[in-house]
Amino acid sequence: MEAAADFAIRPACIEDLPGFLALFRHLIPDDDVLPEAVARERFLAVLQHPGLTVFGAFVDGRPVSSVTLIVVPNLLRGGASYAMIENVVTHADHRKRGYGRALLRRATETAWSAGCYKVMVMVGSKDPATLRFYEESGFAKLKTGFEARRIPPR
């Protein structure tokens, strides 16, 4: 990985909100802009949700890449939890430096430490390079994913 000198991976905190809002524009550029108070309320709810961790890759104190890990308790598989990864994004100026892969590795290791038997990620992109990124990060296409949406995809 070609990481910057001041590179760190850590869970997000409320003070990171402005940086994450800017970063998320690289995932969904035309997403609705939330009023500041609403964004703060929603981010606090996310950060306080049991089993959910937003990890950021920070360069010079700014988040340049992010993944959200959700660990879900389970009654099957001997009670072993499972995990899902969402909102994977890297700032356009910081791609191809290994930040996304490092975050996926951290999230996966966190899931294994929590006793999860699997980690899932759904990928909306059909771009071969994006799919290869996930495969090279240790994920395999084993199942078919379906979703129901109340709001149509953009």
Side-chain angles (χ1 to χ4, degrees):
M1 170 172 45
E2 183 191 313
D6 185 18
F7 171 75
I9 292 176
R10 64 169 173 78
C13 62
I14 191 63
E15 292 79 19
D16 298 321
L17 176 61
F20 277 95
L21 290 174
L23 174 62
F24 291 157
R25 286 271 170 229
H26 291 266
L27 181 63
I28 306 175
D30 61 344
D31 201 15
D32 296 334
V33 176
L34 294 175
E36 186 177 335
V38 174
R40 183 176 175 80
E41 173 195 328
R42 297 308 304 151
F43 197 49
L44 272 172
V46 166
L47 297 177
Q48 294 171 351
H49 195 281
L52 191 153
T53 306
V54 177
F55 287 105
F58 292 81
V59 173
D60 298 325
R62 285 185 20 247
V64 298
S65 191
S66 174
V67 304
T68 299
L69 174 70
I70 304 108
V71 174
V72 182
N74 191 18
L75 283 173
L76 301 171
R77 306 284 179 169
S81 297
Y82 59 91
M84 298 176 288
I85 290 178
E86 269 289 333
N87 300 338
V88 179
V89 59
T90 299
H91 188 291
D93 295 342
H94 293 270
R95 292 183 182 150
K96 307 274 190 220
R97 298 184 189 184
Y99 300 144
R101 187 160 292 137
L103 278 171
L104 286 173
R105 185 170 41 254
R106 171 58 97 51
T108 303
E109 289 169 354
T110 300
W112 299 152
S113 294
C116 293
Y117 79 95
K118 70 178 177 180
V119 179
M120 300 176 285
V121 61
M122 288 184 58
V123 181
S125 174
K126 307 247 185 287
D127 178 0
T130 301
L131 301 178
R132 192 168 41 257
F133 164 77
Y134 286 99
E135 289 169 345
E136 291 173 356
S137 296
F139 293 87
K141 289 187 350 182
L142 299 175
K143 292 186 176 185
T144 302
F146 294 91
E147 65 179 29
R149 287 188 179 228
R150 185 175 66 133
I151 301 170
R154 296 176 186 255

